[in-house]
Amino acid sequence: MFSTIIRGYIIILYKSKEVTELNKFKLKIGAKIISIVIILIFIPIIFLGIGSYRTSSKIMSKQYEELGTVIGNEVGNMLGSKIEDREKTLNYICTSPSLINLSENPDEIGVLRDIFRRALQNYGAETIYFATEDGNIYVESTVDATENIEYKDKSWYKDAIAKGGAVWSDVYESKITGAKIVIVSQPVYKGDKLLGVVAMDLTLQDVTDIISNIELTGGGYPILTDRNGIIIDHKDESWLGREFQPIDEVLKLKSGVKTIDFTFEDKEKGIKEEELLVLKNIDKTDWKVVTVFPKTSIDEAKNDIIKNVLLIGLITGILGIFVSILLGRNISGAIKKVLDMLRKVEQGDLTARIDIKNKDEFGEVRDSLNHTLATLGALINNVKEASNSVGEYSGNLAALSEEVSASSIEISTTSEEIAKGASEQATDTEYGVSLINN
């Protein structure tokens, strides 16, 4: 039995030592609070940052697509307005009585040339000419244009007759001035009879000057191409006349708006850039307005959002750590005072008390422990007083026992003396009897 108790005590000591060794590696409560606060703050911030980046990426891409669409629509509307204005002027010329009756009344040529000159002045046209079905051509020009033109095999002549209305040619370079020219032409009828075709050579600057006036933030810019994908307006004039890339996307777009991601590469200049392209088709001419947004500007806008989120997160984290340190110190300080009091009690000092100013649960613990210690101290004092009383009573009892023992000895001695006297008396009696008998 005794050996079993000793063995159990040794096991308890071993386990206690093992737990003490493990406790060396446990974090203090203040560090735990700081760790928990950091986890609770920074993990949501990380997820918030990732979510914000993804959301902002979609939003920014959508916004740039919408901006490109708006620019394409606005440029298309402005170009459409100019195109419609030129077509109205051309239609006015084609329906002019001076033109329709020219073959019957050659004197109308003076009036017709005045109409041509006003059109040249008002719209910046380079040349206006009326090519008749019978082989005559009447030309009014601001440059030295020739009237000896083989026109019946020209696309502007054949296409206008085939369509029966105004048509716009491809962009080409003027042989006289070297300027980029587009021709708008329309057939002339008198009743059902085809009289010929009126055409105007318009410089691209007159039609496309709106492109150069558009400024976009983030390095974006618009480009104008003809129906064949040839660049006819660009902020960098060195690109004029080049084939736009990706050419396939331009040629496939026949109406509406299209958005594509494209990697632009210029091997000559060593340029490689990711771009977002928004293509808008202009119905009258099949020209394309291409709004170019460098991905770097989009990424910068996204990064600004991420930076703001991280900055807010960092500030929140620092404030959280500061608050957690104060909170940890408050809690760990209260616990330390409790532990200090318990160590004193462990050493037998029941007068120790907890001095905590908290009015929370720690305050309740303080009141409970202090009350418990006061009660325990009073109980121990009562036990001590009772023990002293018992000791006193035990002393008195011992003295009484000694007195009783002494009395018992005296009685025993007296008894022995009485017995001895009786014995002697008996002997004397026997002796007396023997004397009488003799």
Side-chain angles (χ1 to χ4, degrees):
M1 180 69 178
F2 181 74
S3 62
T4 302
I5 294 173
I6 295 298
R7 190 181 301 110
Y9 181 70
I10 292 172
I11 291 172
I12 291 171
L13 287 177
Y14 176 77
K15 292 293 183 181
S16 177
K17 182 178 180 182
E18 187 180 38
V19 171
T20 302
E21 291 295 327
L22 289 174
N23 285 341
K24 291 180 180 179
F25 298 97
K26 292 182 179 178
L27 291 173
K28 293 183 178 181
I29 191 166
K32 289 181 180 178
I33 292 174
I34 294 174
S35 301
I36 292 172
V37 170
I38 290 174
I39 291 172
L40 292 177
I41 291 176
F42 283 103
I43 289 181
I45 287 174
I46 291 172
F47 282 104
L48 177 62
I50 295 173
S52 298
Y53 181 80
R54 291 178 178 176
T55 304
S56 63
S57 179
K58 294 179 181 179
I59 293 175
M60 294 300 297
S61 297
K62 186 68 176 177
Q63 286 180 343
Y64 276 96
E65 290 176 13
E66 292 175 353
L67 177 59
T69 301
V70 170
I71 292 173
N73 290 334
E74 288 300 317
V75 172
N77 291 337
M78 288 186 283
L79 285 177
S81 177
K82 286 195 172 189
I83 289 169
E84 184 178 356
D85 194 29
R86 272 59 175 177
E87 288 182 353
K88 285 182 178 179
T89 299
L90 188 63
N91 185 66
Y92 169 75
I93 295 173
C94 292
T95 56
S96 171
S98 300
L99 181 69
I100 294 174
N101 298 320
L102 182 63
S103 59
E104 299 174 359
N105 188 2
D107 293 336
E108 294 289 337
I109 188 63
V111 177
L112 181 61
R113 289 190 180 279
D114 286 338
I115 295 173
F116 282 2
R117 291 189 191 100
R118 287 197 299 271
L120 290 175
Q121 292 173 358
N122 292 336
Y123 298 108
E126 188 175 276
T127 305
I128 300 178
Y129 33 91
F130 173 42
T132 66
E133 269 290 283
D134 56 11
N136 295 321
I137 186 169
Y138 302 93
V139 178
E140 192 68 32
S141 178
T142 58
V143 295
D144 295 331
T146 177
E147 297 187 2
N148 298 320
I149 302 175
E150 294 295 332
Y151 54 83
K152 288 195 175 184
D153 60 343
K154 300 295 184 180
S155 60
W156 58 264
Y157 188 85
K158 295 187 295 183
D159 292 345
I161 295 173
K163 184 178 180 181
V167 295
W168 292 76
S169 71
D170 293 334
V171 178
Y172 71 97
E173 186 175 295
S174 172
K175 295 180 179 179
I176 301 173
T177 63
K180 299 295 181 182
I181 297 295
V182 62
I183 300 174
V184 56
S185 56
Q186 180 176 324
V188 180
Y189 289 91
K190 185 175 183 179
D192 294 331
K193 181 181 178 182
L194 176 66
L195 300 180
V197 173
V198 175
M200 285 195 300
D201 290 349
L202 299 173
T203 60
L204 282 182
Q205 184 177 0
D206 176 59
V207 180
T208 65
D209 56 0
I210 56 176
I211 295 289
S212 59
N213 294 325
I214 297 177
E215 295 183 1
L216 302 177
T217 58
Y221 56 93
I223 297 173
L224 186 65
T225 74
D226 65 8
R227 62 169 62 94
N228 298 314
I230 303 301
I231 298 174
I232 58 178
D233 197 17
H234 194 289
K235 67 175 184 177
D236 184 354
E237 293 185 358
S238 64
W239 285 93
L240 298 179
R242 293 191 188 185
E243 187 179 79
F244 178 80
Q245 296 296 333
I247 186 65
D248 294 341
E249 299 293 341
V250 173
L251 297 179
K252 286 190 296 185
L253 183 65
K254 298 301 180 182
S255 63
V257 179
K258 185 175 184 180
T259 302
I260 59 175
D261 293 315
F262 179 68
T263 302
F264 170 75
E265 187 173 3
D266 187 349
K267 295 182 179 179
E268 295 180 1
K269 297 182 179 180
I271 299 174
K272 187 175 183 180
E273 187 175 40
E274 299 291 330
E275 296 176 335
L276 176 67
L277 306 179
V278 183
L279 284 67
K280 163 69 177 177
N281 185 73
I282 300 175
D283 296 332
K284 287 276 186 179
T285 60
D286 273 340
W287 293 352
K288 310 295 186 291
V289 179
V290 183
T291 308
V292 181
F293 296 104
K295 285 289 187 70
T296 52
S297 61
I298 300 176
D299 292 338
E300 286 175 0
K302 296 176 186 176
N303 292 335
D304 288 340
I305 295 175
I306 295 300
K307 288 177 182 178
N308 291 333
V309 172
L310 292 177
L311 180 60
I312 293 172
L314 181 61
I315 294 172
T316 305
I318 292 173
L319 292 176
I321 292 173
F322 178 73
V323 172
S324 65
I325 290 174
L326 295 179
L327 180 62
R329 286 181 177 178
N330 185 32
I331 295 175
S332 61
I335 293 175
K336 184 177 183 300
K337 289 181 179 181
V338 173
L339 291 176
D340 290 341
M341 180 274 295
L342 292 175
R343 290 190 183 99
K344 291 179 181 179
V345 173
E346 184 182 12
Q347 295 173 2
D349 183 7
L350 296 180
T351 62
R353 295 291 183 270
I354 305 174
D355 183 19
I356 298 176
K357 305 300 182 183
N358 300 48
K359 295 182 180 180
D360 50 15
E361 286 79 358
F362 281 108
E364 295 179 6
V365 171
R366 170 201 64 206
D367 295 339
S368 180
L369 285 177
N370 287 342
H371 178 71
T372 301
L373 287 174
T375 304
L376 183 60
L379 179 61
I380 291 175
N381 287 332
N382 292 335
V383 170
K384 185 176 180 182
E385 291 176 1
S387 177
N388 291 335
S389 298
V390 170
E392 184 179 344
Y393 293 148
S394 297
N396 294 335
L397 183 60
L400 181 60
S401 297
E402 289 178 359
E403 291 178 0
V404 171
S405 178
S407 299
S408 297
I409 293 172
E410 290 178 358
I411 292 170
S412 177
T413 304
T414 303
S415 297
E416 288 178 358
E417 290 177 354
I418 292 171
K420 183 178 179 182
S423 177
E424 290 178 354
Q425 188 177 2
T427 301
D428 290 341
T429 302
E430 285 180 2
Y431 179 71
V433 171
S434 65
L435 288 179
I436 294 170
N437 291 332
N438 292 328

